[in-house]
Amino acid sequence: MSDIDMIRAAAARLKGHARRTPLLSSPFLDRIAGRRVWVKPECLQHTGSFKYRGGYAAVSALEDTARARGVLAYSSGNHAQGVALAAAQHGVPAVIIMPADAPALKIANTRALGAEVVLYDRAAGESREELGEALRGERGMALIRPYDEPQVIAGQGTTGLEIAEDAAAMGIARAEVLVCCGGGGLTAGIALALEAQAPGLRARPCEPEEFDDTARSLASGEIQRNARLSGGLCDAIITPQPGEITFPILQRLCGPGLVVSDEEALRAMALAWGRLKLVAEPGGAVALAAALFHAGRVEGDDVIVTISGGNVDADIFQRALSQYGDLH
Amino acid sequence: MSDIDMIRAAAARLKGHARRTPLLSSPFLDRIAGRRVWVKPECLQHTGSFKYRGGYAAVSALEDTARARGVLAYSSGNHAQGVALAAAQHGVPAVIIMPADAPALKIANTRALGAEVVLYDRAAGESREELGEALRGERGMALIRPYDEPQVIAGQGTTGLEIAEDAAAMGIARAEVLVCCGGGGLTAGIALALEAQAPGLRARPCEPEEFDDTARSLASGEIQRNARLSGGLCDAIITPQPGEITFPILQRLCGPGLVVSDEEALRAMALAWGRLKLVAEPGGAVALAAALFHAGRVEGDDVIVTISGGNVDADIFQRALSQYGDLH
């Protein structure tokens, strides 16, 4: 199981590989939220999302002989790129199973990073888990699950170590940390890191409407599924249900989930563009959207939010700017 | 005159105020340029451009009694915001003279940062220098020139100290440093910092076509003016001619100027968006455009480029994405 020692070990392996992202802010965002907003821009991470942390942590944790046979992953795109780059950096092959309706840029980037991409149709009910198991059997590759995987959670948790360190340096002892949440790997990792390093900071998962499985699961105390498995803008964080490993961690350590609309995610993307000069993808903007547009559901003088990724196709980004890009 | 001691003193005053920006990279950009490309993202600086460094350096260098009477600046927008925020942080008033055709977002932001904005018509030949002198006489405020001002050059030079430090840490002993150049404050400051701290690194000014006064001045050995004083997309770096203080520094320390088209600047903006998740404005993207699309005019295995600012209106950004945002 993931714990703080595993996160610290992952941080040691990631040193010199993962980017140490800062906490950014803007007085214009503070005014909207009514409190100070600190943004952890994981869109600036290698491959454009935090997923590189978990991918590298998992690939680097494999034993040499296992790693040499290559790695296998399924992903809507960000985990794909993170694992692909980590595999390339270790000189081993990668096969990535991606939904055919993933953003074209994510599929193209994954291939450009040297991985073999296998597409499946998620709307038709094809199971990426079954495809993954089959390929694992055929090729003997190590499967790196996107979130229900202790080394992946540990890698994502390094984000939380950095948040704890920067918050302490700025004198922030108490704050909520809003995290973009799909399967819960980033949220669980951050929550574990904060528990050990910054107990006054509490993680809260943020999700898009209609895909709020984690919020409903936390509220009911039992794992809930989403009615749909695709659709909406926030492809990066759409998963069937919370993970079996991640959910108990979230249940023990996180505050209630926050839910935002796709339109709020687009508005947050436009504000990240104009006020922070950062490119966020819709799923990567839900935590910022929660901080800005659901401020009444958040507590404290400071709020910390992740922008978990920036891998968005141009047409969606232009939609955010044409609707919400006029900031004056 | 500006020198390395003044730059080091500015760095000490800026500590804890200016953001320490990193050097970012992407394998996709390296492939286009045919060498490693390192990006200094000053769009992530406070107020969205490096100008905050010079503004803060100049305001903090004033004697208390002079500073208390407030500060005055003329600017197409980025210097305006940098001085406005620095003045607000020092608790003193700021009056900013801006062209009426500056990007609306820059004018709005300058006002929102607490400054009084006075607009003038640059196409009609109104002189911002004369307006500035008149207001200075009336109100007794200290004029902070955008580039021909030793403390401003020193503040911009702190960017060069950071580049020198990061290049040394990465083992880069020789490289060209491409700098977005208007009046030459950033270029001169970086050149002075590199001369002292990283003599194997050489600054080269980058400009847009039709506003290549610095490139022509360096080539001819005498200060040349631009035929036009406005127009084109790169508003941030359009100045009548190189500065009287900055030009001799450039002449002594810089390599030949590089010139890019507005379309190349837009392509570079789209690549910064897609590959680095950064928002660049056209004038802030000319150095990246030079590295990517004029690689034959650059030497070495590594090239370092500034993205000097990201304050761009949504319509221009959408134009960059609609024309060049399809990266796959």
Side-chain angles (χ1 to χ4, degrees):
Chain A
M1 283 306 97
S2 304
D3 59 23
I4 186 64
D5 293 330
M6 200 183 279
I7 296 173
R8 289 189 184 122
R13 294 200 304 283
L14 284 166
K15 198 169 169 65
H17 297 284
R19 286 198 181 114
R20 172 67 167 83
T21 53
L23 287 181
L24 302 177
S25 64
S26 159
F28 296 96
L29 299 183
D30 296 352
R31 279 178 216 173
I32 296 172
R35 56 172 61 88
R36 287 189 299 178
V37 180
W38 302 97
V39 174
K40 180 76 171 167
E42 282 295 303
C43 48
L44 298 181
Q45 190 52 259
H46 294 296
T47 71
S49 91
F50 74 95
K51 290 282 192 177
Y52 171 77
R53 295 177 187 262
Y56 192 95
V59 173
S60 62
L62 291 171
E63 287 182 23
D64 290 352
T65 49
R67 187 165 54 225
R69 289 194 294 273
V71 295
L72 182 68
Y74 40 79
S75 162
S76 67
N78 283 334
H79 181 58
Q81 294 177 74
V83 171
L85 179 58
Q89 290 174 332
H90 283 85
V92 303
V95 173
I96 313 286
I97 301 163
M98 300 182 73
D101 61 331
L105 185 62
K106 291 180 178 176
I107 296 173
N109 286 355
T110 305
R111 289 192 170 124
L113 290 167
E116 176 187 344
V117 172
V118 176
L119 298 175
Y120 77 101
D121 184 350
R122 62 178 157 185
E126 286 192 71
S127 161
R128 63 185 193 177
E129 287 79 3
E130 284 170 21
L131 258 171
E133 292 298 331
L135 278 165
R136 179 158 70 148
E138 281 170 30
R139 310 204 192 184
M141 293 172 129
L143 176 64
I144 298 182
R145 292 179 183 82
Y147 46 87
D148 255 350
E149 167 64 50
Q151 287 294 358
V152 168
I153 295 170
Q156 323 304 28
T158 61
T159 315
L161 292 183
E162 295 173 7
I163 289 172
E165 184 180 340
D166 288 354
M170 295 188 300
I172 301 171
R174 299 195 66 80
E176 298 197 315
V177 180
L178 311 192
V179 186
C180 306
C181 184
L186 180 62
T187 314
I190 287 178
L192 288 169
L194 297 180
E195 179 190 27
Q197 300 291 105
L201 271 52
R202 183 175 72 154
R204 292 185 65 183
C206 300
E207 296 168 295
E209 284 173 1
E210 296 192 60
F211 301 95
D212 59 344
D213 49 304
T214 297
R216 289 184 289 109
S217 299
L218 287 172
S220 70
E222 283 176 20
I223 287 185
Q224 307 285 327
R225 291 182 63 82
N226 289 317
R228 290 193 294 155
L229 297 182
S230 67
L233 292 177
C234 299
D235 61 282
I237 56 173
I238 291 175
T239 45
Q241 61 182 56
E244 288 174 26
I245 299 178
T246 55
F247 183 64
I249 300 170
L250 269 54
Q251 214 173 8
R252 184 168 68 80
L253 296 174
C254 290
L258 295 159
V259 182
V260 308
S261 67
D262 277 0
E263 290 302 312
E264 289 170 333
L266 288 172
R267 278 173 70 195
M269 286 169 62
L271 286 160
W273 165 84
R275 298 311 185 191
L276 298 168
K277 312 306 172 191
L278 294 174
V279 178
E281 59 186 279
V286 297
L288 179 59
L292 297 176
F293 312 127
H294 297 264
R297 298 204 56 209
V298 177
E299 288 178 11
D301 296 334
D302 296 271
V303 63
I304 298 169
V305 309
T306 58
I307 290 184
S308 55
N311 292 313
V312 53
D313 280 345
D315 57 339
I316 303 287
F317 203 82
Q318 288 182 74
R319 181 172 149 193
L321 291 191
S322 65
Q323 288 179 241
Y324 304 109
D326 186 0
L327 302 180
H328 46 276
Chain B
M1 282 308 97
S2 306
D3 60 22
I4 186 65
D5 292 331
M6 200 183 278
I7 296 173
R8 290 189 183 121
R13 295 200 304 284
L14 284 166
K15 199 169 167 65
H17 297 284
R19 287 199 181 116
R20 173 65 167 86
T21 52
L23 286 182
L24 302 177
S25 65
S26 159
F28 295 97
L29 299 183
D30 296 353
R31 277 178 217 173
I32 297 171
R35 56 173 60 87
R36 287 189 298 179
V37 179
W38 302 97
V39 174
K40 180 75 171 168
E42 282 295 302
C43 48
L44 298 180
Q45 191 52 263
H46 294 298
T47 71
S49 89
F50 74 95
K51 290 283 193 177
Y52 171 76
R53 295 178 186 260
Y56 192 95
V59 172
S60 61
L62 291 170
E63 287 182 23
D64 290 353
T65 51
R67 187 166 54 225
R69 288 193 294 274
V71 295
L72 181 69
Y74 40 79
S75 162
S76 67
N78 283 334
H79 181 59
Q81 294 177 72
V83 170
L85 179 58
Q89 290 174 331
H90 284 86
V92 303
V95 174
I96 313 287
I97 301 163
M98 299 182 72
D101 61 332
L105 185 62
K106 291 181 178 176
I107 296 173
N109 286 355
T110 305
R111 289 192 169 122
L113 291 166
E116 177 188 343
V117 172
V118 177
L119 298 176
Y120 76 101
D121 184 351
R122 61 178 158 184
E126 284 193 74
S127 161
R128 63 185 192 177
E129 287 79 4
E130 285 171 20
L131 256 170
E133 290 299 331
L135 277 164
R136 178 157 72 148
E138 282 170 31
R139 310 204 193 184
M141 293 173 129
L143 176 63
I144 299 182
R145 293 181 182 82
Y147 46 87
D148 254 350
E149 168 64 50
Q151 287 294 357
V152 169
I153 295 170
Q156 322 305 28
T158 61
T159 315
L161 292 183
E162 296 173 8
I163 289 172
E165 184 180 342
D166 287 354
M170 294 188 300
I172 301 172
R174 299 194 67 79
E176 298 197 314
V177 180
L178 311 192
V179 187
C180 305
C181 184
L186 180 62
T187 315
I190 287 177
L192 287 168
L194 297 180
E195 179 190 26
Q197 299 292 105
L201 270 53
R202 183 175 71 156
R204 293 185 65 181
C206 301
E207 296 168 296
E209 284 173 2
E210 297 192 58
F211 301 95
D212 58 344
D213 49 305
T214 298
R216 288 184 289 109
S217 300
L218 287 172
S220 69
E222 283 177 18
I223 287 184
Q224 307 285 327
R225 289 181 65 80
N226 289 317
R228 290 192 294 156
L229 297 182
S230 67
L233 291 177
C234 298
D235 61 283
I237 57 172
I238 290 175
T239 46
Q241 61 182 56
E244 288 174 24
I245 299 179
T246 54
F247 183 64
I249 300 171
L250 269 53
Q251 213 172 9
R252 184 167 68 81
L253 296 174
C254 289
L258 295 160
V259 181
V260 309
S261 68
D262 277 1
E263 289 302 312
E264 288 170 335
L266 289 172
R267 278 173 69 194
M269 287 168 62
L271 285 160
W273 165 84
R275 299 310 185 191
L276 298 168
K277 312 307 172 190
L278 294 174
V279 178
E281 60 187 278
V286 296
L288 180 59
L292 297 177
F293 311 127
H294 296 264
R297 298 204 55 208
V298 177
E299 289 178 10
D301 296 335
D302 296 271
V303 63
I304 299 169
V305 309
T306 58
I307 290 183
S308 54
N311 292 312
V312 54
D313 280 346
D315 57 340
I316 303 286
F317 203 84
Q318 287 180 75
R319 182 172 148 194
L321 291 191
S322 65
Q323 290 179 239
Y324 304 109
D326 185 1
L327 302 180
H328 47 275

